[in-house]
Amino acid sequence: VIGLYEWSGNNSIIPELWLVPHILPIHPGRFWCFCRLIYMPMSYLYGKKFVGPITPTILELRKELYSVPYHEVDWNKARDTCAKEDLRYPRSLLQNVIWTCLNKIVEPALNCWPVNKLRDKALKNLMKHMHYEDESTKYIGICPIDKALGMICCWIDDPNSDAFKLHLPRIYDYLWLAEDGMKAQVYDGCQSWEIAFIVQAYCSTDLVNEFAPTLRKAHEFIKRSQILEDHPDSEAYYRHRSKGSWTLSTADNGWSVSDCTAEALKVKISYF
């Protein structure tokens, strides 16, 4: 995206997969939520082959990062090159066959007229799904990875859009300043989850009277953190019903979590 690596050096992440019938097991709507929501902006960026402005800084970084001149890099070879320390598990023969077919046959075919009309349709569909995810999570996203990638996609689609502007202030939900510098969380917090356990701990050790004001605040927080409505058109966007549930963090997050719901409900029923 910033111009330090060519798109041809990546294995194909085809956005058209979102257009196949949902009945097929390969449809992204059947993926685990984290996998699906990261694949979504990744396939959008790959489909766009977007590259930002090549500035003098980018040109200097190209010189510094590669052992050969940038224009001499063999991107076909780079596509499957991996340091042995990072190769956690070798790809199978089947995987190699699938990637080769995608890179050599499917991707070139999808970029030819009139088949490339499918790409335009797929990219519009993906942006529709990303807007839904943004709106249903108050622009927090499910994790900082899909939040950052989704924000980039909104900027590419329209840098002056309300969606991009609404993304910006929610960056800080993932950042915090520690004694040794800035940190990024892997989630926007675990407030509901932890408070439910804290309340149970206080109540099981007979500290209720001593911490009564704190427990009243905890009760109010748990009450406010409950999701009160189902997300609209949830099934069309591969989401489960959410009314009455709790998230890992706050109601803004929007993603119901079964064990967080169980613990919060246990606290509400047993102690409040």
Side-chain angles (χ1 to χ4, degrees), residues 120-161:
D120 293 336
K121 183 178 180 181
L123 293 176
K124 289 178 182 177
N125 181 53
L126 279 170
M127 186 52 66
K128 183 180 175 183
H129 278 264
M130 283 188 279
H131 284 323
Y132 181 88
E133 170 63 11
D134 290 341
E135 291 165 7
S136 63
T137 63
K138 304 295 191 294
Y139 293 84
I140 294 174
I142 198 172
C143 70
I145 304 169
D146 94 292
K147 191 268 190 300
L149 291 171
M151 183 170 63
I152 292 170
C153 292
C154 289
W155 179 77
I156 292 170
D157 182 56
D158 181 0
N160 297 311
S161 66

Side-chain angles (χ1 to χ4, degrees), residues 172-230:
Y172 302 100
D173 287 77
Y174 289 105
L175 300 179
W176 58 284
L177 194 61
E179 63 277 2
D180 58 343
M182 183 71 75
K183 307 286 186 181
Q185 303 180 121
V186 298
Y187 212 77
D188 69 308
C190 50
Q191 298 92 312
S192 294
W193 173 250
E194 290 191 348
I195 286 178
F197 282 124
I198 290 169
V199 170
Q200 292 179 54
Y202 279 178
C203 293
S204 64
T205 51
D206 295 325
L207 294 172
V208 175
N209 293 329
E210 187 175 346
F211 290 96
T214 301
L215 289 171
R216 278 195 292 270
K217 291 180 179 180
H219 170 259
E220 187 63 25
F221 177 83
I222 292 173
K223 179 181 177 181
R224 289 176 178 270
S225 296
Q226 188 176 24
I227 299 175
L228 301 180
E229 298 293 339
D230 287 322

